[in-house]
Amino acid sequence: MIGNKIGKYKIIELLGSGGNANVYKAKDIEGNLFAVKVLKVGKYPAFNKKYKRFKDEVQVVKSNQTAISGIVPIIECFLPPDPFKNTPWYSMPIATPLAHIINDDSSMYDIMECMEQLSSTLMQLHENGIVHRDIKPNNLYYYNDKWAFGDFGLVEYPQKTDLTAKGESVGPKYTIAPEMKRDAKNSDGKAADIYSLAKTLWILLTGEKAGFEGQYSDGIEKFNISNYRGKGFFVSLHELIEKCTSNIPSERLDIIEFNKVIKEWFEISQDFKRKNLLEWNYIFRKILPHTSPEVIVWTSPDDIVHLLDLISKIDSLNHVFVPGGGGLDLTKCTLSNELSYIELHFDYSIKKLMPEKLHLITFADAPEWNYFYLETKELHPTGLYGNQERYYEPVLELSPGVYVEPYHKYYGEVDGQPIPKDAREILLSLKGSFAFFAKGSTYNTISATYDGRHNNMTSNAFHDHIKEMIRHQQWTNENPDKARRIRQEKKERERAQREIERKEYERLKKDLKSKWEEIVSSVKMPTPPQQTIPGEVYFTIEMNDQYFENVYYVSHDNKLIIDSTGNLERVLHGRIDAKELLKIYDFNECEDYINMLNDLLFNFDGSDKIANRLYFDVDMHRVKKPAVHFTKDELTELLINANDKIYNRVVIQTDGNLRLITEEMDHVQPHGFVYKGWEFSAFENSLGKKSNLHHIDDIYFDLLSGWCFHLECNRRASRLSNEYYMGLSEEQLLEKIRIASEQYSK
């Protein structure tokens, strides 16, 4: 046929071949491309039936293609009385086969959009009494910006001459309904279409082109669509495909119901609470398919793991309220490596525990409140943390039941022995109970429930507590006006109470302000240090009084001066003469002076209320060129010789030397250093003899940045100074430091 003409079309290439016909790509005299379906003609007993079906296909498509847009239309046809003299054919526009668009990488949304359009079209066909009887992926196309059915070769429609013989099998190989295999003549074609469409949906979602045998069940691992798709909303699809692949045609949904489920899928997928609660109730129906007792209890670790793992397999389904307060999402539940233990897996931790009982609690009239309650056996502490009272202990598990402190992982050894490759960090749960609710449940939306209340009650008491919460919610829903009035009255009482507290606060503040101003105006300032030789830098003192929103500075003549401009930035911007400020050239003396000010200013009633809102700020200003500049070798030596079993912080002193601080500093102390640099927690092997100092380049660059900022801006640096020098090399930064140093006198 290639190169031949058929009607006004020249055949270009073969597009596909079936049992009854071939489909070719062709073009007309104007060069427009079309698809031409050509009947396979042959003198064999079944040919007459095939030709009649070919003509039926043409008739049903041409009769409905104007009113129904979701079918690939027929443009021209040739149906001769004697097909042996002239070959029958019809032409169609070129449509894109489904397989060219939908594949394993297609999103679930795209597949469901395809299915929604096809089911809408099938609904129109069924309304007109038309059944396709050959629904499968290969007969689906994308045409004119819409998904469409093609290949109506097995179509049935009203007034059609019945061509199906008794006992004849009619339908697509992988999606055919079982009754169509046995006796298509006496089977309901509409129910068969539903079966085939549901199987087609499964194929598109899983990518398994051969489909599956029998009725769908999500309990069969190789059938379950969620095992192929991962994240997504599957509950309504599990039920849809299961019902529509029933071996009993009358149990299947009709096309109107099918289409409704598909449309609702889009709505539910975008509504987290509705989706979540449907998924939650679906799990409970799987556990209790036929009965709904209020309370069930399991004690076997195997049963407990099976049940909790069920609720962890659906993405964002559950939220677990833990013993000490707060909550986490369970991502997996497994048996542990020790007999009688199980493990709860969360995003960033594993809790190992010994279960006592798992309670499943259901509420027939309020299923969103259904929950699991896990009681655990109390375990003895490991001894790694002394006698501290705690719900769990962070440990490094070397082997089942053998635990050490987690910090050993940083050293790779314990008592000189290498840590096993399968060692892991876990949280060993010593006691307490866990409550598992739907993530979208009302209980999970109440912030107060994160207080660990479930752990402070028995399982029965917590059950009663939830019942009371349900009753309150139901009463609120039934009496919205009363509930609104009660809420409003509560808000009014709270507002009135706040107003009383505000007035009392203002009265107290006014009284305190009067006393404060009296003290400030009459305070005899302590004698400042008498310095004659300037150091590398001088320090200035500023007091911030947040309670009364005043700022003061200490003047050169030793007075406390109120300053409305805000802070010591005014010195750098020339809004106040630096000569007016008290300068102290030794930080220790500056700190002593502040302590004396503290003693003077907090000596009256109500001072605690002021003390919590008053602090002294110190700013440093360089006078002399630094004596030295630290090097990377000096930094390396300092860190290698450090004791990593204690807290450390590397700082830059005013003379340019590095120093390690091994204790936490109060608010004022950091002001004594040019830069309060890198912090090292204890037992992390980030410094010391065993550390490889893999982070030395980052630390060095950070310290250089702080040092450069100080020299360029004549002030103490903060961690934010790094941002000024991002993108510079070490060499460029060192050159900037050299230039900045030259601005200071010897």
Side-chain angles (χ1 to χ4, degrees), residues 56-67 71-77 79 90-91:
D56 286 342
E57 179 180 9
V58 172
Q59 179 181 335
V60 78
V61 171
K62 288 183 72 67
S63 299
N64 290 277
Q65 65 189 28
T66 302
I71 56 179
V72 180
I74 291 176
I75 299 171
E76 291 185 73
C77 63
L79 305 172
Y90 67 78
S91 64

Side-chain angles (χ1 to χ4, degrees), residues 79-96:
L79 305 172
D82 186 352
F84 296 102
K85 291 184 177 179
N86 297 287
T87 304
W89 57 268
Y90 67 78
S91 64
M92 305 169 287
I94 295 284
T96 305

Side-chain angles (χ1 to χ4, degrees), residues 439-658:
K439 197 173 180 71
S441 68
T442 299
Y443 188 84
N444 192 38
T445 63
I446 303 171
S447 58
T449 59
Y450 282 75
D451 59 3
R453 63 185 63 183
H454 68 282
N455 186 59
N456 299 323
M457 308 179 192
T458 64
S459 60
N460 289 335
F462 185 63
H463 188 181
D464 291 340
H465 177 65
I466 296 299
K467 283 182 177 179
E468 184 55 38
M469 294 182 76
I470 294 172
R471 279 193 291 269
H472 175 74
Q473 184 188 48
Q474 291 174 340
W475 182 89
T476 300
N477 293 339
E478 293 167 1
N479 302 276
D481 293 336
K482 289 182 180 179
R484 193 180 304 110
R485 186 168 63 252
I486 289 172
R487 287 195 300 269
Q488 188 59 39
E489 289 171 354
K490 182 181 178 182
K491 287 182 179 179
E492 286 299 320
R493 288 195 301 272
E494 292 172 349
R495 187 199 62 77
Q497 182 60 33
R498 285 196 301 270
E499 182 61 19
I500 292 171
E501 292 171 356
R502 186 192 66 79
K503 289 180 178 178
E504 176 60 20
Y505 171 81
E506 291 298 329
R507 185 197 64 76
L508 177 62
K509 184 175 178 180
K510 184 177 180 181
D511 182 49
L512 288 175
K513 184 174 183 181
S514 176
K515 293 178 181 179
W516 171 250
E517 290 174 347
E518 181 181 343
I519 286 202
V520 170
S521 62
S522 62
V523 68
K524 184 177 180 182
M525 298 285 283
T527 303
Q530 300 297 314
Q531 298 156 316
T532 56
I533 303 176
E536 288 92 356
V537 298
Y538 69 79
F539 301 94
T540 56
I541 301 171
E542 175 186 20
M543 184 179 74
N544 292 277
D545 166 20
Q546 291 181 310
Y547 198 90
F548 304 126
E549 300 176 351
N550 294 322
V551 178
Y552 306 83
Y553 66 90
V554 182
S555 68
H556 72 286
D557 54 356
N558 197 32
K559 292 181 180 178
L560 201 58
I561 309 296
I562 191 166
D563 169 43
S564 61
T565 59
N567 55 50
L568 288 178
E569 285 290 326
R570 64 192 182 284
V571 176
L572 301 176
H573 293 88
R575 290 196 292 270
I576 189 169
D577 191 342
K579 294 179 181 178
E580 294 185 21
L581 299 168
L582 175 67
K583 302 179 182 66
I584 302 177
Y585 290 94
D586 181 273
F587 176 73
N588 291 329
E589 292 181 354
C590 180
E591 190 175 12
D592 290 342
Y593 188 74
I594 289 174
N595 289 333
M596 288 187 286
L597 277 176
N598 268 310
D599 292 339
L600 284 171
L601 296 173
F602 298 153
N603 194 18
F604 72 100
D605 291 341
S607 61
D608 286 345
K609 295 183 182 298
I610 294 175
N612 292 332
R613 292 171 174 266
L614 182 146
Y615 63 91
F616 291 92
D617 240 346
V618 179
D619 209 353
M620 66 162 58
H621 307 271
R622 179 160 288 279
V623 176
K624 294 181 179 180
K625 186 176 182 178
V628 295
H629 294 287
F630 61 86
T631 65
K632 186 183 289 188
D633 288 341
E634 290 170 340
L635 174 63
T636 302
E637 184 178 3
L638 186 72
L639 299 183
I640 283 290
N641 292 316
N643 178 5
D644 79 315
K645 304 298 190 296
I646 60 175
Y647 166 88
N648 288 274
R649 181 184 287 278
V650 61
V651 300
I652 306 175
Q653 299 185 124
T654 56
D655 62 1
N657 278 310
L658 299 175

Side-chain angles (χ1 to χ4, degrees), residues 672-738:
F673 302 102
V674 168
Y675 182 43
K676 185 182 74 169
W678 210 276
E679 185 178 10
F680 305 89
S681 297
F683 295 107
E684 287 190 348
N685 199 25
S686 50
L687 41 64
K689 301 263 190 249
K690 293 185 178 181
S691 173
N692 59 17
L693 297 184
H694 65 275
H695 49 310
I696 189 69
D697 290 338
D698 292 335
I699 299 174
Y700 183 56
F701 187 88
D702 177 76
L703 292 169
L704 285 180
S705 298
W707 184 230
C708 188
F709 181 88
H710 163 69
L711 293 173
E712 288 190 327
C713 302
N714 190 11
R715 56 186 292 196
R716 190 172 61 87
S718 70
R719 289 304 295 267
L720 295 177
S721 59
N722 251 337
E723 297 179 6
Y724 289 89
Y725 307 106
M726 293 299 290
L728 296 182
S729 65
E730 265 184 32
E731 291 73 18
Q732 291 171 320
L733 201 46
L734 287 168
E735 178 62 15
K736 288 178 74 69
I737 288 170
R738 185 191 66 78

Side-chain angles (χ1 to χ4, degrees), residues 237-251:
L237 301 185
H238 289 318
E239 296 175 341
L240 174 72
I241 301 175
E242 182 176 7
K243 287 180 180 178
C244 293
T245 56
S246 171
N247 289 324
I248 303 173
S250 62
E251 291 183 351

